[in-house]
C-alpha cells in the first residue's frame, strides 16, 4: 500500500478547517441568534467558538508540521525559503486564534462587567475581525495547497 502524500493530507485538512470556519460564521452562530433568546444565543456562540478555537490550534500544529517540512525541502533544493507563504499563512491563522479567542474573548467577560479599557462592543468587533482574518488566511492556505504543480 502506498504511503499517503502529506501534501494531499494538508490540502484536505485546510479545506475542512475552512469549512468549519465558514459553518460557524454563516450557519451556527446566526442560527443561534435567530432561534433562541439573545443571552442563550451568546452562550451557544461562545460554546461553538471555544470548540473551534481548540480545533484551530490542532489544525495549525498539524499543518505547520507539513508545510514547514515542504518549505524546508524546497529551501534545500534552492527553490524557496523555510519561511514560505504557506508557513506564514498557518502562523497567521494560529496568531488570530490565540489573540482573538484566548486574548480578546477572555477580556470580553471583564468588559461586560464594566472593567477594562475597552468596551464589550469594541472587543467583540476585534474578536470578529480576528475570526474573519483567520478565515481568509485558511481559505488562502487551502487554495494554495490545492494548486496544480
Amino acid at each position: 500500500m502506498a504511503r499517503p502524500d502529506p501534501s494531499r493530507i494538508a490540502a484536505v485538512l485546510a479545506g475542512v478547517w475552512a469549512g468549519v470556519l465558514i459553518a460557524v460564521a454563516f450557519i451556527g452562530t446566526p442560527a443561534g441568534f435567530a432561534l433562541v433568546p439573545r443571552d442563550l444565543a451568546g452562550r451557544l456562540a461562545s460554546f461553538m467558538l471555544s470548540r473551534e478555537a481548540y480545533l484551530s490550534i490542532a489544525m495549525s500544529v498539524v499543518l505547520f508540521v507539513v508545510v514547514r517540512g515542504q518549505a524546508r525541502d524546497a529551501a534545500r533544493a534552492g527553490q524557496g525559503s523555510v519561511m514560505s507563504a504557506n508557513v506564514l499563512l498557518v502562523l497567521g491563522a494560529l496568531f488570530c486564534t490565540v489573540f482573538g479567542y484566548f486574548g480578546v474573548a477572555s477580556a470580553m467577560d471583564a468588559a461586560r462587567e464594566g472593567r477594562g479599557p475597552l468596551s464589550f462592543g469594541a472587543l467583540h468587533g476585534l474578536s470578529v475581525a480576528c475570526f474573519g482574518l483567520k478565515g481568509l488566511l485558511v481559505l488562502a492556505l487551502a487554495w494554495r495547497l490545492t494548486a496544480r504543480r
Side-chain angles (χ1 to χ4, degrees), residues 2-104:
R3 189 168 172 233
D5 179 10
S7 298
R8 292 183 73 187
I9 292 170
V12 168
L13 288 177
V16 167
W17 188 11
V20 167
L21 295 173
I22 290 168
V24 167
F26 294 108
I27 298 171
T29 303
F33 281 95
L35 297 173
V36 298
R38 189 170 182 84
D39 62 327
L40 184 57
R43 289 185 15 223
L44 176 63
S46 177
F47 180 82
M48 280 190 293
L49 291 169
S50 72
R51 297 308 182 264
E52 176 278 320
Y54 286 102
L55 175 70
S56 288
I57 289 174
M59 291 290 214
S60 296
V61 169
V62 171
L63 286 168
F64 178 78
V65 169
V66 175
V67 299
R68 177 81 159 113
Q70 293 171 336
R72 188 179 48 248
D73 293 345
R76 283 186 187 143
Q79 299 174 345
S81 166
V82 292
M83 216 33 137
S84 69
N86 290 348
V87 170
L88 292 174
L89 288 169
V90 170
L91 290 175
L94 177 60
F95 174 80
C96 287
T97 300
V98 172
F99 179 72
Y101 181 76
F102 295 99
V104 175

